[in-house]
Coordinates of all heavy atoms in Angstrom, one line a residue:
Chain Z
V1006 N 18.0 164.8 160.4 CA 18.7 166.0 160.1 C 18.8 166.2 158.6 O 18.9 165.3 157.8 CB 20.1 166.0 160.7 CG1 21.0 167.2 160.1 CG2 20.1 166.0 162.1
L1067 N 38.8 153.0 162.0 CA 38.0 152.6 160.9 C 36.8 153.4 160.6 O 36.3 153.5 159.5 CB 37.6 151.1 161.1 CG 36.9 150.3 160.1 CD1 37.8 150.3 158.8 CD2 36.5 149.0 160.5
W1099 N 35.5 147.2 153.6 CA 34.7 147.7 154.7 C 33.7 148.7 154.3 O 33.9 149.6 153.5 CB 35.7 148.5 155.7 CG 35.0 149.4 156.6 CD1 35.0 150.7 156.6 CD2 34.2 149.0 157.7 NE1 34.3 151.2 157.7 CE2 33.7 150.2 158.4 CE3 33.8 147.8 158.2 CZ2 32.9 150.2 159.5 CZ3 33.0 147.8 159.4 CH2 32.6 149.0 160.0

Side-chain angles (χ1 to χ4, degrees):
Chain Z
V1006 170
L1067 188 60
W1099 164 250

